[in-house]
Amino acid sequence: MKEHTFFQQKALLLAVATAFGLAACGGGNSAENNQNTAPVSTEAAEKQEIVINNGAEPESLDPHKVSGVPESGILRQILVGLTSTDNDGNTVPGMAEKWESADNKVWKFTLRDAKWSNGDPVTAEDFAYSFRRVTDPATASPYASYLADAKVLNAAKIIEGKAKPDSLGVKAVDAKTLEITLEEPVPYFPDMLIHTSVKPVHKATVEKFGDKWTSPANIVVNGPYTVKTWDVNSQIVLERNPNYFDDANTTITKATLLPISSPPTDMSRFKAGEVDVTYNDIPTEQFKSLQQEMGGQMKVAPYLCSYYYEFNHTKPPFNDVKVRKALQLTLDRETMVDKVIGRGETAAYQFTPPAAQGMKEFVPEWKSWDKAKRIEEAKKLLAEAGYSESKPLNFELLYNTNENHKKNAVAAAALWKEALGFVNVNLVNQEWKTYLDTRRNQKHQMARGGWCADYNEASTFLNTFKSDNSSNYGKYQSAEFDNLILKTLSGDVTPEQRGELYSQAEAVMDKDAATIFVFHYVNARLVKPYVDGYSTKDPMDNWQIKNWKILKH
């Protein structure tokens, strides 16, 4: 379902002014409304059950057919890859108890004794099958290029249809030993294996049930939880998997995950005691009041995640770099983060969050220009592209249904209108699954995008803009950019040189106005005081229920 809303200049400016005012409001500090962290027992509660808002209805529970944060939030609880993360985001053993490589090209992973939920042993062949499946064009995985980015032997050729899936550089040496061969040395390869797309699936179950293998009656998993029920657009209930290798150290027995996409509704249900952990998207207009009202129940932490407005490079008007550059120059990021959002986000002038490992920060020259100079240059570029008061620039901006994304889109449209005059933005919202499909098939002109780290290294961001990357929904194409990213994995490149190459790649994207980078996120959510073990130290927000327990309250 689409909702089209056309905003005239006056309405836009009124809307953005309202947004600014809301973001600046405080309040909520009266004694009767104060819900600061109440003292709770240090003893575990008898009933170990939790309700979590996961933010959206998942498009699938097949790890090889998804790309979103809500999907990963569920799959992290039911499937374990070769490597995993601890409660603070550090890479730790998963199904592999150890790994080694003499040259960062040929890697040997030794699997632990572990079982699937149906009692079958987890084997090296399970991973070989799963890796082949994610690269097989027949799977049509939105993350098909992930193993190509990791330089797994023949992955790129398989994706292009130039090699068979069984030629992928993965081999089950025996039941407990998996050998993975890369085309180039990748020192951070084990870190990449924490991601959803490289989690294993149970071959016999997939082959028996096809697309129905993820239904609760059929699903077989190897993680701490399995799927008990799935009521579409209502809830997914997880229960403990007694065959999980570390079940003895798991406490919570039942987890209910909700698909609430409305941040205000999420907050209301938290206050009503119906949600124990909210999604990490606190309403911007409530943020400051909730900080005062909720005290220690609000958890704010760094987050390796970037918010952007994606151009569709395949059709007008954004196949013209002059149009893209004009909008890039005139989006006032500081106003967005300070007055529209106001949760501690930082303005983005590059795609990769500067805190990501391996990154050398890039700062564009135009960042130092004052507003008047940016507007002057933008109007000149639009005039050269054929736009004027008599021929205004009209385009659609797509966002997934969510009050915060709507507010950001209204503000962006108003800022462009205020700066340039002859720019009219038609705002379009779609539900999560439809929105993803629209972007993947290039049916949009401009779209709200967000990218969160798959692992803590700059390449997890920059790889997505490679010409052949399956996550490059805007279809940005640059041989110069591609070559710089390719050089980062040359055998003789030092970490410092790699960081410099990343910075140069950011400079190319800036020159081409590949996308409008808006801000780098913070991770903010509400957590009940009786949820013990929640960490604010993981910059990837890879929370895992198995690390938590419920205290008496």
Side-chain angles (χ1 to χ4, degrees), residues 69-206:
V69 171
E71 291 77 13
S72 291
I74 300 169
L75 289 163
R76 213 166 34 244
Q77 319 310 320
I78 63 176
L79 293 170
V80 179
L82 290 169
T83 59
S84 185
T85 54
D86 65 15
N87 209 26
D88 294 338
N90 303 300
T91 300
V92 296
M95 285 294 104
E97 59 184 2
K98 62 180 180 179
W99 52 87
E100 59 185 345
S101 177
D103 57 4
N104 289 334
K105 286 183 69 174
V106 179
W107 292 84
K108 185 174 80 171
F109 293 84
T110 303
L111 272 61
R112 66 173 77 249
D113 290 330
K115 293 179 181 180
W116 292 95
S117 54
N118 69 346
D120 288 351
V122 177
T123 67
E125 184 56 38
D126 291 328
F127 282 93
Y129 166 76
S130 298
F131 282 27
R132 294 182 193 116
R133 183 174 183 259
V134 78
T135 54
D136 188 341
T139 305
S141 173
Y143 256 83
S145 62
Y146 192 72
L147 290 177
D149 292 338
K151 297 299 177 184
V152 175
L153 182 66
N154 290 331
K157 291 180 181 178
I158 294 167
I159 294 164
E160 294 168 4
K162 297 177 181 177
K164 299 289 187 182
D166 60 9
S167 68
L168 188 68
V170 292
K171 180 172 68 174
V173 178
D174 55 44
K176 296 292 184 186
T177 309
L178 182 71
E179 184 178 273
I180 303 178
T181 302
L182 311 183
E183 295 170 349
E184 302 286 348
V186 181
Y188 47 84
F189 183 64
D191 298 321
M192 295 187 73
L193 298 180
I194 68 173
H195 190 250
T196 301
S197 64
V198 285
K199 294 187 187 300
V201 294
H202 188 256
K203 180 180 178 180
T205 301
V206 173

Side-chain angles (χ1 to χ4, degrees), residues 6 43 88 141 151 180 228 258 310 312 323 329 333 359 374 392 400 409 413 432 449 524 526 533-534:
F6 186 80
E43 293 181 50
D88 294 338
S141 173
K151 297 299 177 184
I180 303 178
K228 182 179 181 181
L258 306 177
E310 168 186 273
N312 182 348
V323 178
L329 288 171
R333 293 153 179 80
M359 186 65 209
R374 293 186 194 184
N400 55 297
W432 178 246
L526 301 181
Y534 179 85

Side-chain angles (χ1 to χ4, degrees), residues 38-51:
V40 294
S41 171
T42 57
E43 293 181 50
E46 187 173 329
K47 186 177 180 182
Q48 288 293 319
E49 298 181 0
I50 192 168
V51 179

Side-chain angles (χ1 to χ4, degrees), residues 522-534:
V522 292
N523 181 14
R525 59 161 48 93
L526 301 181
V527 179
K528 291 293 186 184
Y530 50 76
V531 177
D532 185 50
Y534 179 85

Side-chain angles (χ1 to χ4, degrees), residues 241-255:
N241 170 17
N243 281 324
Y244 173 54
F245 79 90
D246 198 29
D247 183 57
N249 292 312
T250 304
T251 304
I252 291 177
T253 58
K254 176 185 175 183

